[in-house]
Amino acid sequence: MNFIYPAIIRKTEKGYHARFPDLAMCEAEGPTLDETLDLARHEMEDWIRAEFEEEEPEMPPISDPDDIELADGEFVRNILVIYRFYDGWDE
């Protein structure tokens, strides 16, 4: 299953910071933009995995990037995570 959530990115003194407005407490920081985006994807994957481990998982609605209010210097990147369900597969 594919999940695409927008991340708000901003430059910091130490590199970049990414946060997902739709995923509570899901953030990442890295020294370069590429590393930050990679770390953000891993954080989002962990967030999704934790949600699906709940008894009744609820994925939050996805914000339209055009509707996200940004501060000066912030920009939005959509992050894709492909989550595979393996339980119950006969392989």
Side-chain angles (χ1 to χ4, degrees):
M1 181 174 278
N2 295 344
F3 294 94
I4 301 173
Y5 279 94
I8 298 172
I9 314 293
R10 68 178 166 82
K11 181 103 171 88
T12 67
E13 291 179 7
K14 296 180 180 180
Y16 290 86
H17 179 264
R19 66 182 173 87
F20 292 90
D22 302 320
L23 308 176
M25 300 181 336
C26 188
E27 301 182 18
E29 289 185 319
T32 67
L33 179 58
D34 286 340
E35 288 182 61
T36 302
L37 293 173
D38 191 44
L39 291 168
R41 184 182 59 76
H42 286 290
E43 289 297 321
M44 182 176 145
E45 185 175 16
D46 290 345
W47 194 100
I48 290 169
R49 181 178 299 111
E51 187 61 32
F52 279 111
E53 288 175 357
E54 296 290 324
E55 190 170 315
E56 294 184 34
E58 289 186 37
M59 294 303 297
I62 300 168
S63 294
D64 184 328
D66 293 332
D67 294 337
I68 297 173
E69 291 187 32
L70 301 172
D72 288 341
E74 291 183 332
F75 57 96
V76 175
R77 292 281 175 96
N78 282 324
I79 307 293
L80 166 69
V81 166
I82 300 171
Y83 188 82
R84 292 184 172 87
F85 296 92
Y86 291 108
D87 288 344
W89 286 22
D90 293 337
E91 294 189 85

